[in-house]
Amino acid sequence: MTPHTFRMNRRPIMTRPTHRSLYWLLLVPTLLLSFFSCRSPEGEPYTNHLPEQAHQEWASYLGDIHSTQYSSLSRIHRENVNQLEIAWTWSSGDAIEGRTELQTNPLIVEGVLYGLTPQLKAMALNAATGEELWRFDPFEGEEPQPRGRQRGLLHWESDNGNDRRLFYVAGGRLHALDPGTGDPVVDFGENGSINYAVGLDRDGLDLSVTASTPGVIYKDLLIQGSTVYNRAPGHIRAFDVRSGELVWTFRTIPQPGEEGYETWPEEAWTHVGNANSWSGMSLDAERGIVYVPTASPGHDFWGGDRPGENLYSSSLLALDAATGERIWHYQFVRHDIWDRDLPAPPNLVTVTRNGREIPAVAQVTKSGHVFLFDRRDGTPLFPMQEMDVPKSDLPGEWTPESQPVPLLPEPFARQSFTEPMLNHLDPETHPALLERFREIRSGHPWEPPSREGTLIFPGFDGGAEWGGAAVDPDAGILYVNSNEMPWILTMVPTETEGETDRVPGRRIYTTNCATCHGLNLEPAGNADFPSLNNLSERMTEDHVHEIVQDGQGVMPPFGHLSEEERDQLVGWLLGQDSGEVDDETRDLSTRPSVPFTHTGYNRFLDENGYPAVNPPWGTLNAIDLNSGEYLWRVPLGEFDELTERGLPVTGTENYGGPVATAGGLLFIAASQDEKFRAFDRETGEILWETDLPAGGYATPAVFDIDGVQYVVIAAGGGKMGTPSGDTWVAFKLSDSAQ
């Protein structure tokens, strides 16, 4: 791989050895000196170079309730990480090629690994051997199919240790399981589960509510976010861990009399959805504060029916964990029409200013920023500025005057994409890139959605994404991987002259289905969704009705549609709609009507499938939160065919986060090349890498059993065109290194 250095503001911030052979030649004497100098009085070498702490498990999602993605273990360290080998692998047999993923960060409690399969079955393994102990299928008796994503579970234990439970959401239900057997805990809810749509204040609607990320447990309260569809609101809820009863609710779309209500239209709370917390949350148990990042309101890219700043969407909420009362909040995106929802749990960390330690909370964003606050009162710890926002020219849209941006740290992803930044990898395809670039709107980070097409850069998946950041909680260093993939967002009217205006089935499809399945029944640039062309040759009318009403796999039920609307939609999909309808039927539409939708989530690629922008396309960054300065920045991921051409390592699009360890390492997979790597935390140098059986689009976990340290990751693939997998892979040091 060709060595290189990135620069920001003409300051080198990435280092990598220029000649590995020379590097090892210089390192060997240093290692020998360390070996002989670091010996006990009895003459035996120490097993590690940093003091081992008692923390041996991985008992919470992302390592702990502070979401640090950090392990205090150090038996695997800089000097021996190159001697890692596979300890065990376990495969579930649940992968469906091209349709499933596995993004779970596991729990390791008392020597048992608790995780999930691609079809959202919970399982328990002997964490030292990979032997399966039990498996629980919440969809038992149903046909195997993709079930969406669930990134983790929660473990709770009573004060006396007599009651232990695992919690996770699958489909539309929150399940409680016995960790010892995998059986449902029958005194929780209805025989071990509850309807996850409870308490969302939308009477008369069949809400579609699930979760893709676990919440947190405070004392005996299970505090949860949600993934919502079809106008369901994203209120934050707390449930009793024993009974499943709803204890408190914080409404992210305020009702009359609640603070923030004035930032919405008067009736918005009755029909606007989302503003949910899908990406996870963090807990300061000592202060009793839960930190909750929220998403944009629905519809993602059209907000003309919700003029105003729209609190508490796209915000960080600091709530009293016992009562759900708001302590403070910060809104990152006012009136979000860019899908700039907060993608990851915030990190709780201690920073030092003027010799004084400050308890802080750091939030990474899709736009490539790190916002840092005093976690007690929400005071920003770096200067902020307001950036003007261009006005939308979509009829009826409302645009905020400005958006807040921190002055430090500098963004970890580029903020604009100009013509000179188009990639020149292939002279034959460059003219087509240039032509397309000149057709769309670009140049401003807050360019509103448009009919011409608006460049979203960083893209819909960041900057930062759901893998989040790791922090050294005491040193105040943050490590975050980033995408630099451009996307094109194109808005289209839902009512035009001709067929759409006359045919309600097509209008309902355009409003509800086209963003996934494409305006012409072919998904645009997204293989996750099937084509609906020639549907009548593959499915019966009853089957299509059933899927629309109840959902299937990752597709939610469309319970917000009336029976008449579902009839019109299914008839149009199956080609039964002639287009000649009477006045009464012509008036059918979704409620409330929206004048614009979009053509789907489309990456801006060249004809060879590479991002249209010059590299880097994926990076790993180290930021000192005490000063706001970067320590280093390196590419994450590689295209072998480009490296072989003599190009510097480009990085790749990446999903899944890093884990930092006291052994001076960063473990991360995430990259499109399906590798798992260990980086030096001080320099960003790659110290070890290996191929996985499928892409590791998940955050790893680090734990110790009987003095042996392990690193484990879910290799589920299925993203960015890579094959789907279903394997958990655990690594440990070789016997000689142990």
Side-chain angles (χ1 to χ4, degrees):
M1 294 184 288
T2 304
H4 59 291
T5 300
F6 293 163
R7 293 179 180 270
M8 293 180 61
N9 293 340
R10 300 181 182 177
R11 177 165 51 88
I13 57 172
M14 188 199 83
T15 60
R16 195 167 184 181
T18 53
H19 298 288
R20 293 200 175 197
S21 57
L22 178 60
Y23 172 80
W24 285 109
L25 187 63
L26 293 172
L27 182 61
V28 166
T30 303
L31 293 179
L32 290 173
L33 179 62
S34 300
F35 178 83
F36 287 107
S37 62
C38 296
R39 300 178 75 87
S40 69
E42 292 76 26
E44 293 297 323
Y46 290 117
T47 56
N48 50 51
H49 64 295
L50 292 173
E52 199 75 74
Q53 297 181 19
H55 211 117
Q56 309 263 320
E57 298 183 334
W58 194 267
S60 297
Y61 178 63
L62 303 182
D64 55 43
I65 58 176
H66 291 180
S67 300
T68 61
Q69 299 176 207
Y70 178 85
S71 170
S72 60
L73 295 171
S74 59
R75 295 186 189 278
I76 302 171
H77 49 76
R78 295 182 183 94
E79 287 76 25
N80 64 16
V81 67
N82 62 344
Q83 298 182 61
L84 282 181
E85 63 182 21
I86 292 177
W88 55 260
T89 63
W90 180 85
S91 298
S92 65
D94 268 4
I96 300 176
E97 182 51 53
R99 299 185 65 197
T100 57
E101 302 173 24
L102 178 58
Q103 301 176 354
T104 304
N105 176 251
L107 303 180
I108 295 91
V109 182
E110 297 183 3
V112 178
L113 181 148
Y114 300 103
L116 299 171
T117 76
Q119 294 184 34
L120 301 191
K121 300 170 187 174
M123 53 73 172
L125 308 177
N126 181 316
T129 66
E131 176 191 2
E132 182 175 336
L133 304 177
W134 55 255
R135 199 183 305 200
F136 168 77
D137 185 359
F139 307 101
E140 188 173 4
E142 298 182 21
E143 180 181 351
Q145 58 183 285
R147 302 290 185 181
R149 307 169 183 91
Q150 175 53 265
R151 299 186 177 109
L153 308 92
L154 289 171
H155 177 269
W156 170 83
E157 183 174 349
S158 61
D159 290 340
N160 60 15
N162 292 334
D163 192 357
R164 297 174 61 227
R165 301 183 181 193
L166 287 175
F167 297 96
Y168 83 111
V169 178
R173 301 196 70 82
L174 169 61
H175 296 270
L177 305 179
D178 182 330
T181 64
D183 295 330
V185 179
V186 294
D187 60 355
F188 181 86
E190 303 169 16
N191 295 316
S193 70
I194 62 172
N195 181 346
Y196 203 54
V198 64
L200 291 182
D201 306 325
R202 289 289 164 89
D203 295 336
L205 289 180
D206 183 12
L207 298 179
S208 178
V209 183
T210 184
S212 55
T213 309
V216 294
I217 293 178
Y218 175 68
K219 297 182 178 179
D220 292 346
L221 290 179
L222 174 62
I223 305 172
Q224 288 280 148
S226 59
T227 300
V228 297
Y229 305 92
N230 305 332
R231 294 167 38 209
H235 303 333
I236 313 306
R237 295 165 293 165
F239 302 91
D240 186 290
V241 294
R242 292 181 172 86
S243 68
E245 292 292 323
L246 183 64
V247 177
W248 60 253
T249 300
F250 178 87
R251 297 184 180 92
T252 58
I253 303 175
Q255 295 188 7
E258 296 177 336
E259 188 170 351
Y261 173 73
E262 71 282 357
T263 67
W264 299 83
E266 287 187 1
E267 299 300 316
W269 66 276
T270 67
H271 62 80
V272 174
N274 297 32
N276 53 307
S277 179
W278 62 265
S279 59
M281 52 190 71
S282 304
L283 175 68
D284 184 335
E286 181 181 353
R287 294 179 174 84
I289 303 175
V290 59
Y291 299 90
V292 183
T294 65
S296 56
H299 303 269
D300 281 342
F301 307 112
W302 165 252
D305 60 342
R306 50 176 173 87
E309 294 186 353
N310 304 153
L311 286 175
Y312 294 95
S313 67
S314 301
S315 300
L316 181 62
L317 303 170
L319 306 179
D320 185 314
T323 66
E325 295 180 1
R326 186 185 65 85
I327 298 172
W328 60 264
H329 77 275
Y330 190 89
Q331 188 172 37
F332 297 80
V333 185
R334 305 172 183 125
H335 190 78
D336 193 345
I337 50 175
W338 298 268
D339 193 26
R340 289 296 195 201
D341 46 352
L342 298 180
N347 305 102
L348 304 191
V349 61
T350 299
V351 298
T352 302
R353 293 290 177 81
N354 300 318
R356 184 169 61 95
E357 290 188 345
I358 300 174
V361 54
Q363 179 67 62
V364 295
T365 70
K366 286 184 178 179
S367 62
H369 293 93
V370 181
F371 288 75
L372 190 70
F373 308 96
D374 186 317
R375 78 173 87 144
R376 297 166 295 189
D377 57 14
T379 302
L381 295 181
F382 287 112
M384 305 291 294
Q385 68 175 354
E386 291 288 328
M387 179 176 287
D388 293 340
V389 175
K391 294 299 181 185
S392 171
D393 62 2
L394 293 181
E397 184 58 276
W398 188 94
T399 316
E401 294 292 331
S402 63
Q403 302 286 9
V405 178
L407 292 178
L408 287 174
E410 295 177 1
F412 54 82
R414 289 168 288 183
Q415 296 296 291
S416 64
F417 184 175
T418 59
E419 195 171 293
M421 294 166 63
L422 285 166
N423 89 48
H424 290 75
L425 295 175
D426 186 343
E428 294 184 2
T429 64
H430 186 76
L433 276 183
L434 183 60
E435 180 180 1
R436 180 65 179 125
F437 184 83
R438 290 175 174 174
E439 294 171 348
I440 61 178
R441 296 187 180 184
S442 63
H444 195 288
W446 298 106
E447 186 68 47
S450 64
R451 282 169 287 194
E452 293 83 2
T454 295
L455 187 78
I456 306 296
F457 184 75
F460 294 127
D461 291 342
E465 39 74 39
W466 53 261
V471 292
D472 183 323
D474 298 317
I477 310 300
L478 180 140
Y479 306 91
V480 61
N481 50 310
S482 176
N483 289 317
E484 300 212 17
M485 170 69 74
W487 300 60
I488 297 175
L489 171 65
T490 305
M491 304 298 287
V492 292
T494 55
E495 297 187 44
T496 60
E497 291 296 325
E499 183 184 17
T500 305
D501 202 33
R502 293 184 291 107
V503 181
R506 179 178 175 89
R507 182 191 301 174
I508 294 166
Y509 174 86
T510 301
T511 302
N512 292 275
C513 314
T515 56
C516 293
H517 296 285
L519 284 173
N520 298 311
L521 307 180
E522 288 288 343
N526 196 330
D528 292 341
F529 306 110
S531 166
L532 299 182
N533 273 314
N534 304 315
L535 191 62
S536 61
E537 299 176 7
R538 293 178 278 134
M539 293 186 181
T540 65
E541 182 177 354
D542 287 345
H543 192 189
V544 178
H545 262 288
E546 180 183 346
I547 293 174
V548 172
Q549 180 171 339
D550 300 331
Q552 177 175 286
V554 297
M555 176 181 162
F558 281 72
H560 67 294
L561 297 179
S562 69
E563 183 177 353
E564 194 172 9
E565 287 170 329
R566 288 197 296 270
D567 287 342
Q568 290 293 328
L569 173 61
V570 172
W572 184 79
L573 286 171
L574 296 176
Q576 300 167 0
D577 196 328
S578 67
E580 299 298 328
V581 295
D582 57 32
D583 290 340
E584 181 179 354
T585 305
R586 186 180 297 118
D587 289 338
L588 280 173
S589 64
T590 56
R591 297 180 302 273
S593 177
V594 292
F596 291 95
T597 185
H598 62 103
T599 59
Y601 298 88
N602 302 293
R603 292 174 173 87
F604 186 17
L605 306 172
D606 67 18
E607 294 179 11
N608 298 311
Y610 299 115
V613 70
N614 274 329
W617 300 323
T619 63
L620 185 60
N621 307 266
I623 306 171
D624 186 339
L625 295 179
N626 304 289
S627 65
E629 294 295 314
Y630 280 72
L631 303 179
W632 50 259
R633 186 185 191 207
V634 297
L636 176 61
E638 183 175 13
F639 290 101
D640 289 337
E641 67 275 17
L642 297 181
T643 306
E644 290 169 1
R645 286 171 47 183
L647 296 173
V649 176
T650 62
T652 73
E653 195 175 7
N654 52 88
Y655 296 87
V659 166
T661 78
L665 301 172
L666 280 177
F667 287 101
I668 186 169
S671 53
Q672 190 174 354
D673 56 19
E674 303 172 293
K675 292 182 181 295
F676 190 28
R677 295 179 169 92
F679 290 80
D680 188 314
R681 279 177 51 194
E682 290 187 358
T683 66
E685 179 201 353
I686 296 175
L687 300 178
W688 170 83
E689 64 180 29
T690 189
D691 293 308
L692 292 172
Y697 309 132
T699 300
V702 179
F703 59 97
D704 183 288
I705 296 177
D706 295 331
V708 178
Q709 184 177 337
Y710 297 82
V711 183
V712 66
I713 189 165
K719 295 190 73 68
M720 300 176 284
T722 61
S724 294
D726 62 357
T727 303
W728 289 83
V729 186
F731 298 87
K732 67 176 183 178
L733 293 173
S734 65
D735 290 343
S736 59
Q738 295 283 3

